[in-house]
Amino acid sequence: MPPSSNPSVVLDSDASAGGASVGHASAGRALAQGDWTAAGFGERAQWRRLQRELNAVGSGAAWDLTGIGRLDYVGAQVLWNHWGGQWPQRCEVGAAQREILDRVAELSQVEKPQPTRWHPFDQIDRFGVLVLAGCSHLKELVELIGQLLLDFGRLLRKPQRGPWRDISGHLYSMGATALPITALVGFLIGVVLAFLMALQLRQFGAESFIVNILGISLIRELGPLLAAILVAGRTGSAITAQIGVMRVNEELDAMQVMGIAHGFRLVLPRALALAVAMPLVALWTTLAALAGGMLAADLTMGVTPAYFAQALPSAVEAANLWMAMGKSMVFGVLIALIGCHWGLRVEPNTQSLGQGTTASVVSAITMVIIVDAIFAIVFKDVGI
């Protein structure tokens, strides 16, 4: 095979006298030379030089492709695009080159999609599809909860056959490893809240009430909610990714063939681990937030940590703490179930794995906020 030469275009202006379009400023005869292949367009400087040469050729010029050594579909596409998607008025081309250019011309004829017209029935149809998809997710989540209850009963009947090793492993990965980040975020949130409250309370001379406001807001609401959101983003996505990778690697199919129940081996250990770890993580986050608020209150209003610690038990009833622990347990089970739900729905491809992980985090955080609102309304009505 002869060595390749760079593609180029030489404009033969003298040929315009032999029949080029009269009156066109850049008309002439364009002589394509060299090898018009993908390898010939690889270098940036070479491609820019060829672009300048192509731009110098006018639209009315005649083309001569007989000087081209080799022509592939990439080179043909470059020429076809320069011609504006149609053959020039005069073109000398060999039979093999014409066949390639005809093929490129055929494949370049793509029908433009018709603009969709807005119609109310289409919007109703889309809304119906969304409702049905939501009902499908709700149905599968209810089935998952029912299966979890059955598996928990099975664990109580035969605890010696329970997946205790999996549960202890998940307790460490979901609970112990989450303590640093939850403590840091909780401490900073406590500092910010205390500084903002100090600005308002100082105007009314009510600095001492910062203990009541910080205590009730952090212990009852913000501490568990903040911990749940952090765990949903951190652990919920991890659960979906773990189970999704098992789907991609066909491990779930292998478990099904061996008669190993997904619910007992995958869902139950994660739900139990988060049900135990979540209240502890919420308590840890609340303590860190109270420490941050205590420090900020001391710096801004002179409320000493000793007074803060002494006034806190009388300002916040113990029932609020127990309610927060109960909420956190529910949050943990829901985060685990949602993560498992999306993980089991992952299809054996990486795109579905990414979509499932994203949907898991969004669904878990949304569910945590909804359930927290339900708890707030219910316990407000019962007077707690």
Side-chain angles (χ1 to χ4, degrees), residues 348-375:
N349 59 71
T350 53
Q351 183 179 4
S352 177
L353 177 61
Q355 292 174 348
T357 305
T358 304
S360 171
V361 174
V362 175
S363 303
I365 293 176
T366 305
M367 181 63 74
V368 164
I369 295 175
I370 292 174
V371 172
D372 185 66
I374 294 174
F375 268 106

Short mmCIF file of all heavy atoms in Angstrom, two decimals, residues 348-375:
data_model
loop_
_atom_site.label_atom_id
_atom_site.label_comp_id
_atom_site.label_asym_id
_atom_site.label_seq_id
_atom_site.Cartn_x
_atom_site.Cartn_y
_atom_site.Cartn_z
N PRO A 348 -30.32 -5.16 33.99
CA PRO A 348 -28.89 -5.51 33.86
C PRO A 348 -28.14 -4.61 32.88
O PRO A 348 -27.62 -5.05 31.87
CB PRO A 348 -28.93 -6.96 33.37
CG PRO A 348 -30.26 -7.10 32.71
CD PRO A 348 -31.20 -6.21 33.44
N ASN A 349 -28.09 -3.32 33.17
CA ASN A 349 -27.23 -2.40 32.40
C ASN A 349 -26.86 -1.24 33.31
O ASN A 349 -27.56 -0.93 34.28
CB ASN A 349 -27.93 -1.91 31.12
CG ASN A 349 -29.23 -1.19 31.41
OD1 ASN A 349 -29.23 -0.07 31.92
ND2 ASN A 349 -30.36 -1.84 31.11
N THR A 350 -25.76 -0.59 33.00
CA THR A 350 -25.23 0.47 33.87
C THR A 350 -26.10 1.71 33.88
O THR A 350 -26.17 2.42 34.88
CB THR A 350 -23.82 0.84 33.43
OG1 THR A 350 -23.84 1.17 32.04
CG2 THR A 350 -22.86 -0.32 33.64
N GLN A 351 -26.79 1.99 32.77
CA GLN A 351 -27.66 3.18 32.73
C GLN A 351 -28.81 3.03 33.72
O GLN A 351 -29.14 3.97 34.45
CB GLN A 351 -28.20 3.37 31.31
CG GLN A 351 -29.06 4.64 31.17
CD GLN A 351 -29.57 4.83 29.76
OE1 GLN A 351 -29.34 3.98 28.89
NE2 GLN A 351 -30.26 5.92 29.52
N SER A 352 -29.41 1.85 33.75
CA SER A 352 -30.49 1.62 34.70
C SER A 352 -29.99 1.69 36.13
O SER A 352 -30.71 2.15 37.02
CB SER A 352 -31.12 0.24 34.43
OG SER A 352 -32.12 -0.04 35.37
N LEU A 353 -28.75 1.26 36.35
CA LEU A 353 -28.17 1.34 37.70
C LEU A 353 -28.06 2.79 38.16
O LEU A 353 -28.42 3.11 39.31
CB LEU A 353 -26.81 0.66 37.70
CG LEU A 353 -26.03 0.70 39.03
CD1 LEU A 353 -26.80 -0.01 40.12
CD2 LEU A 353 -24.66 0.07 38.85
N GLY A 354 -27.58 3.67 37.29
CA GLY A 354 -27.48 5.08 37.66
C GLY A 354 -28.84 5.71 37.89
O GLY A 354 -29.03 6.47 38.85
N GLN A 355 -29.80 5.40 37.02
CA GLN A 355 -31.14 5.96 37.20
C GLN A 355 -31.78 5.46 38.49
O GLN A 355 -32.44 6.22 39.21
CB GLN A 355 -32.00 5.58 36.00
CG GLN A 355 -31.57 6.25 34.71
CD GLN A 355 -32.34 5.74 33.50
OE1 GLN A 355 -33.05 4.73 33.59
NE2 GLN A 355 -32.21 6.41 32.38
N GLY A 356 -31.58 4.19 38.80
CA GLY A 356 -32.16 3.63 40.02
C GLY A 356 -31.55 4.26 41.27
O GLY A 356 -32.27 4.53 42.25
N THR A 357 -30.25 4.50 41.26
CA THR A 357 -29.60 5.12 42.42
C THR A 357 -30.10 6.54 42.64
O THR A 357 -30.40 6.93 43.78
CB THR A 357 -28.07 5.13 42.20
OG1 THR A 357 -27.63 3.80 41.93
CG2 THR A 357 -27.37 5.64 43.42
N THR A 358 -30.22 7.30 41.56
CA THR A 358 -30.74 8.66 41.69
C THR A 358 -32.18 8.66 42.19
O THR A 358 -32.54 9.43 43.10
CB THR A 358 -30.66 9.38 40.33
OG1 THR A 358 -29.33 9.33 39.85
CG2 THR A 358 -31.11 10.81 40.45
N ALA A 359 -33.01 7.80 41.61
CA ALA A 359 -34.41 7.74 42.03
C ALA A 359 -34.52 7.29 43.48
O ALA A 359 -35.42 7.74 44.22
CB ALA A 359 -35.17 6.77 41.12
N SER A 360 -33.62 6.42 43.92
CA SER A 360 -33.67 5.95 45.30
C SER A 360 -33.43 7.09 46.28
O SER A 360 -34.16 7.23 47.28
CB SER A 360 -32.62 4.86 45.50
OG SER A 360 -32.50 4.53 46.86
N VAL A 361 -32.42 7.92 46.01
CA VAL A 361 -32.11 9.03 46.91
C VAL A 361 -33.26 10.03 46.95
O VAL A 361 -33.70 10.46 48.03
CB VAL A 361 -30.81 9.71 46.47
CG1 VAL A 361 -30.55 10.94 47.31
CG2 VAL A 361 -29.64 8.75 46.58
N VAL A 362 -33.77 10.38 45.78
CA VAL A 362 -34.87 11.36 45.72
C VAL A 362 -36.10 10.81 46.43
O VAL A 362 -36.77 11.51 47.22
CB VAL A 362 -35.17 11.72 44.26
CG1 VAL A 362 -36.38 12.64 44.18
CG2 VAL A 362 -33.96 12.39 43.61
N SER A 363 -36.45 9.55 46.17
CA SER A 363 -37.64 8.96 46.78
C SER A 363 -37.49 8.86 48.29
O SER A 363 -38.44 9.14 49.04
CB SER A 363 -37.89 7.57 46.18
OG SER A 363 -38.00 7.63 44.79
N ALA A 364 -36.30 8.46 48.75
CA ALA A 364 -36.10 8.29 50.19
C ALA A 364 -36.21 9.62 50.92
O ALA A 364 -36.87 9.72 51.96
CB ALA A 364 -34.75 7.64 50.45
N ILE A 365 -35.57 10.66 50.38
CA ILE A 365 -35.63 11.98 51.05
C ILE A 365 -37.06 12.51 51.04
O ILE A 365 -37.56 13.05 52.04
CB ILE A 365 -34.66 12.95 50.35
CG1 ILE A 365 -33.22 12.51 50.59
CG2 ILE A 365 -34.87 14.37 50.87
CD1 ILE A 365 -32.19 13.35 49.88
N THR A 366 -37.76 12.36 49.90
CA THR A 366 -39.15 12.82 49.83
C THR A 366 -40.01 12.07 50.83
O THR A 366 -40.84 12.67 51.53
CB THR A 366 -39.68 12.62 48.40
OG1 THR A 366 -38.82 13.27 47.47
CG2 THR A 366 -41.08 13.19 48.28
N MET A 367 -39.83 10.75 50.91
CA MET A 367 -40.63 9.96 51.84
C MET A 367 -40.35 10.35 53.29
O MET A 367 -41.27 10.42 54.12
CB MET A 367 -40.33 8.47 51.63
CG MET A 367 -41.13 7.55 52.53
SD MET A 367 -42.90 7.65 52.26
CE MET A 367 -43.04 6.76 50.71
N VAL A 368 -39.08 10.62 53.62
CA VAL A 368 -38.73 11.02 54.98
C VAL A 368 -39.44 12.32 55.36
O VAL A 368 -40.00 12.46 56.46
CB VAL A 368 -37.20 11.17 55.10
CG1 VAL A 368 -36.83 11.95 56.35
CG2 VAL A 368 -36.54 9.81 55.14
N ILE A 369 -39.44 13.29 54.43
CA ILE A 369 -40.09 14.57 54.73
C ILE A 369 -41.60 14.40 54.88
O ILE A 369 -42.24 14.98 55.77
CB ILE A 369 -39.74 15.59 53.63
CG1 ILE A 369 -38.24 15.88 53.67
CG2 ILE A 369 -40.53 16.87 53.81
CD1 ILE A 369 -37.77 16.77 52.55
N ILE A 370 -42.20 13.57 54.01
CA ILE A 370 -43.65 13.34 54.10
C ILE A 370 -44.01 12.66 55.43
O ILE A 370 -44.95 13.08 56.13
CB ILE A 370 -44.11 12.49 52.91
CG1 ILE A 370 -44.00 13.29 51.61
CG2 ILE A 370 -45.55 12.01 53.11
CD1 ILE A 370 -44.30 12.48 50.36
N VAL A 371 -43.27 11.63 55.78
CA VAL A 371 -43.57 10.92 57.03
C VAL A 371 -43.33 11.82 58.24
O VAL A 371 -44.07 11.76 59.23
CB VAL A 371 -42.71 9.64 57.11
CG1 VAL A 371 -42.85 8.97 58.46
CG2 VAL A 371 -43.12 8.68 56.01
N ASP A 372 -42.30 12.68 58.17
CA ASP A 372 -42.06 13.60 59.27
C ASP A 372 -43.23 14.57 59.43
O ASP A 372 -43.63 14.89 60.56
CB ASP A 372 -40.76 14.36 59.01
CG ASP A 372 -40.40 15.26 60.19
OD1 ASP A 372 -40.10 14.72 61.26
OD2 ASP A 372 -40.45 16.49 60.03
N ALA A 373 -43.77 15.04 58.31
CA ALA A 373 -44.93 15.93 58.38
C ALA A 373 -46.13 15.19 58.98
O ALA A 373 -46.89 15.76 59.78
CB ALA A 373 -45.26 16.45 56.99
N ILE A 374 -46.33 13.93 58.61
CA ILE A 374 -47.43 13.15 59.17
C ILE A 374 -47.25 12.97 60.68
O ILE A 374 -48.21 13.13 61.46
CB ILE A 374 -47.52 11.78 58.46
CG1 ILE A 374 -47.91 11.98 57.00
CG2 ILE A 374 -48.52 10.87 59.17
CD1 ILE A 374 -47.88 10.70 56.18
N PHE A 375 -46.03 12.69 61.10
CA PHE A 375 -45.76 12.57 62.54
C PHE A 375 -46.07 13.87 63.26
O PHE A 375 -46.66 13.86 64.35
CB PHE A 375 -44.30 12.18 62.76
CG PHE A 375 -44.08 10.71 62.84
CD1 PHE A 375 -43.48 10.02 61.80
CD2 PHE A 375 -44.46 9.99 63.97
CE1 PHE A 375 -43.27 8.66 61.87
CE2 PHE A 375 -44.26 8.62 64.05
CZ PHE A 375 -43.66 7.94 62.99
#
